[in-house]
Amino acid sequence: MSLHPMHPAAWVLDQLHADGWHVSGLLAFTRASTLVKASRPGQDEVVLKAGFGSNHVLSELEPTERPAAYGFYWYAQMTEAERALAREDFRHEAELTAAAGGADHVVPLLEQGSAERFDWYTMPHCDDGNFRAFMASSKDTSKGLNMLADVADGLGSLHQRGIVHRDVYQENILIDQGRGLITDLGAARRITTPRGPDHRGPEVHWPPEYLTGYHEATPAADVFSLGVLIYRYLCADIPRLGGHASLTAIPDPLRALVAAALSNQAADRPRMDNLRDGLRTAASAPQR
């Protein structure tokens, strides 16, 4: 494929072409990264994630071209030092994705490498989209609950490997052959190593402890975020401070688990495997 030369992602595609990749489609282009469908001669198509997005590539354009580039007025340009830190962060993401290799219900890293100015890694392409699209289009509640149970299983596997995801929400859940898979470890950290700022937030899917201890978030943070997603899926609403009036839309015994998962106190939340089992039980119950 080709992009208008003023689109910053065109610079990334040019670098990939020079390294022998055939790019068939642009999947996403953000401030931090570019995702494409790509292949090498004689090989299957994969998703390639390049650690170079609009913040990065605008600096590669000629000064006279930058104002005409897509996103120039919306994305702040990064300094050389900031780009170096962003590259380090992307390598950390790839490292954790590789460390999760073989875990059920986690999108695996297939291959990784480097171009001159950025790093990349590849993943299988999940043909069925993400959970946001599923929520908007499907009425099969049992299927959705089973997918969320898959995600709980994947998150539990990450926790067993000493990794906290820290950014569980519907767009970071991909669907492949009817199963849910967790992806995007860009915000993840090893449990043994503080990482990131002390303060993050607020976002609807983030737990309250991110306000003071994001850098030390525990697996309980992922339990909270998955609890938010279950609530949004079953209640068609977002949890509210001071009470969750729509909890009655969640069947027992999952209702009590979701209520506990949404606790402001991390110590009061259930274990991820308990939440997974509750989702499986709810999925197998007759739909009302």
Side-chain angles (χ1 to χ4, degrees), residues 51 88 91 98 111 169 182 199 223 270 272:
E88 178 186 324
R91 287 174 172 172
E111 181 186 359
Y169 69 110
I182 193 75
H199 165 83
V223 172
M272 187 64 77

Side-chain angles (χ1 to χ4, degrees), residues 195-211:
R195 185 172 183 85
D198 296 355
H199 165 83
R200 289 292 298 272
E203 293 282 353
V204 67
H205 63 288
W206 285 350
E209 61 263 31
Y210 281 10
L211 290 172

Side-chain angles (χ1 to χ4, degrees), residues 140-150 233-234 251-254 275-287:
D140 191 338
T141 303
S142 292
K143 185 176 181 180
L145 289 172
N146 268 318
M147 289 179 191
L148 292 174
D150 291 341
Y233 177 54
L234 293 177
D252 282 326
L254 183 59
L275 194 54
R276 176 203 62 203
D277 293 346
L279 285 162
R280 295 280 187 223
T281 299
S284 63
Q287 294 189 36

